[in-house]
C-alpha cells in the first residue's frame, strides 16, 4: 500500500501522513484504557445528587436545572434539519452515521436529563447518562469518518452505540452491589477530548472544523468545571448554580459542533482539508 496523501486547502501543501502518526490514536486509546484499569473503580461522588439549584417555577422543582436542558433539544433539531438533507453529500456522508447518533443522543439528553433533575437520584440517573454516552460515541464515529472516509462508520456507530449502552448498564449493575464503577462510561467522555483534536491534526482538518471542535472541547471542559463547583458558583453568583451553568455551556459546545458542520456543507468551492483527499492505494 502506498502512502496516503491529503491536501490542506488552507496552505495548499500536499504532505504524507506518516505511518507512526496513524497508529498514535490507537496507542493513546490503549494507554488510557490501561490507566483506567490500573486506577481501579471510579465511583460516583457521594453527594453527587445534592444539587445547588432549588428553584421552583410553575410547580417544577429544581426548575433551572430542568429547564436548562431545553437547549440540547433545540440544537439537536437545528442540526437534524440542517444536516440530514446533505447526508449523502461528499462533505458529510463519511461521518453522517456518527453525527446522526450524536444528534439523536443530544435530543434524548434534553429529556433524560430533565427527567433526572426533577427528582435527582441514582434511580433516574441512568436516563441522564445513557443519551450522553450515545452522543459521545456518535461524535467519535463522526469525526473518525471525516478523517478516515474508508472506515465503515455504519458498523462503528452500531458498535460504539452498543458500548455506550453497556457502559451505563455496567454502572447500574455495579451500583446495585454498592460498588458503582464509572470507568467504561467516563471513557466515552475522555476519548473525544483527546482523539478528536488528534485525528484532526493528523489528517489536516480544515481550519473551520478545527476551530469549531476546539471551541466545543474548551466549552465542555469549562462546563465540567462548573459542574464540580456547583454550590460554590451558586453561593457566589446567587442567580445561577454551577450545574445549571454546566448545561448552558454544554449546550453552547454542541452548538459549536453543529455550526462547524453546517458551515462545512454551506461552504462553496472545491473540497477542502480531508475532503480533498488524494487517496493512493494499491
Amino acid at each position: 500500500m502506498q502512502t496516503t496523501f491529503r491536501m490542506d486547502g488552507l496552505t495548499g501543501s500536499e504532505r504524507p501522513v506518516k505511518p507512526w502518526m496513524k497508529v498514535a490514536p490507537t496507542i493513546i486509546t490503549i494507554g488510557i484504557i490501561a490507566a483506567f484499569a490500573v486506577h481501579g473503580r471510579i465511583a460516583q461522588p457521594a453527594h453527587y445528587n445534592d444539587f445547588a439549584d432549588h428553584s421552583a417555577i410553575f410547580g417544577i422543582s429544581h426548575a433551572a436545572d430542568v429547564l436548562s436542558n431545553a437547549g440540547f433539544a433545540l440544537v439537536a433539531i437545528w442540526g437534524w434539519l440542517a444536516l440530514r438533507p446533505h447526508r449523502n453529500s461528499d462533505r458529510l456522508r463519511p461521518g453522517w452515521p456518527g453525527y446522526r447518533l450524536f444528534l439523536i443522543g443530544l435530543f434524548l439528553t434534553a429529556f433524560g436529563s430533565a427527567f433526572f433533575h426533577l427528582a435527582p437520584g441514582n434511580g433516574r440517573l441512568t436516563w441522564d447518562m445513557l443519551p450522553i454516552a450515545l452522543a459521545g460515541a456518535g461524535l467519535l464515529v463522526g469525526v473518525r469518518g471525516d478523517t478516515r472516509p474508508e472506515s465503515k462508520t455504519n458498523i462503528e456507530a452500531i458498535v460504539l452505540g452498543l458500548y455506550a449502552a453497556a457502559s451505563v448498564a455496567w454502572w447500574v449493575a455495579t451500583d446495585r452491589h454498592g460498588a458503582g464503577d464509572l470507568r467504561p462510561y467516563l471513557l466515552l467522555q475522555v476519548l473525544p477530548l483527546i482523539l478528536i483534536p488528534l485525528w484532526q491534526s493528523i489528517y489536516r482538518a480544515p481550519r473551520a472544523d478545527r476551530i469549531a471542535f476546539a471551541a466545543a472541547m474548551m466549552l465542555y471542559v469549562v462546563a465540567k468545571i462548573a459542574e464540580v463547583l456547583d454550590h460554590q458558583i451558586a453561593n457566589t453568583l446567587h442567580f445561577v448554580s454551577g450545574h445549571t451553568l454546566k448545561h448552558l455551556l454544554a449546550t453552547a459546545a454542541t452548538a459549536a459542533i453543529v455550526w462547524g458542520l453546517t458551515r462545512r456543507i454551506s461552504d462553496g468551492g472545491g473540497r477542502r482539508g480531508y475532503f480533498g483527499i488524494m487517496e493512493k492505494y494499491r
Side-chain angles (χ1 to χ4, degrees), residues 75-90:
V75 172
I77 292 171
W78 167 39
W80 189 267
L81 294 178
L83 299 175
R84 190 174 184 277
H86 303 276
R87 63 190 182 278
N88 292 320
S89 69
D90 289 341

Side-chain angles (χ1 to χ4, degrees), residues 263-278:
R263 178 184 172 88
R264 177 197 300 175
I265 61 177
S266 65
D267 188 20
R271 301 172 79 193
R272 300 182 179 181
Y274 39 54
F275 307 106
I277 297 170
M278 297 174 62

Side-chain angles (χ1 to χ4, degrees), residues 221-230 233 242-243 245-246 249:
V221 170
V222 176
K224 297 301 289 184
I225 294 172
E227 179 182 31
V228 173
L229 300 177
D230 184 23
I233 291 175
H243 202 90
L245 191 58
K246 175 230 177 174
L249 288 167

